[in-house]
Amino acid sequence: MRGWFGRSVLSVDYQRLLQALADQTQLGQGPLSCQETAAAFGMDVVSARVEAQRSKAKRLVALGWFAESTPGRFTLAQAVAGPGGGS
């Protein structure tokens, strides 16, 4: 669904989530949860913040940027990660 659009068409918040998962992939680490991303971004890990992260992550799944490997755990979609596993 991403088509020909690059990450620059996404808002800064979405780009930040993409970068967090790209970094995670580059380090060879597994999927991220929304609690982990909220904490990594210096947010209080409270329901409202976590749900905001989850909403953004689900939107990126729908747009083809993320994959939800297991419920609540997100990775870069294969087309985004590519064979080298980065951006």
Side-chain angles (χ1 to χ4, degrees):
M1 273 227 274
R2 289 183 322 107
W4 55 270
F5 299 108
R7 71 173 60 187
S8 64
V9 301
L10 299 171
S11 74
V12 173
D13 288 340
Y14 288 93
Q15 289 181 37
R16 194 164 73 157
L17 273 172
L18 273 170
Q19 189 60 53
L21 282 180
D23 292 346
Q24 188 86 348
T25 300
Q26 197 168 35
L27 294 172
Q29 298 174 348
L32 278 176
S33 71
C34 295
Q35 291 89 349
E36 292 167 330
T37 58
F41 297 151
M43 298 175 180
D44 292 330
V45 183
V46 296
S47 182
R49 299 287 186 194
V50 172
E51 288 304 317
Q53 293 297 98
R54 182 172 288 113
S55 175
K56 289 178 179 78
K58 292 280 191 176
R59 179 75 174 140
L60 288 169
V61 169
L63 293 171
W65 289 95
F66 281 6
E68 191 171 8
S69 54
T70 57
R73 309 274 312 162
F74 299 90
T75 60
L76 291 177
Q78 185 62 35
V80 176
S87 57

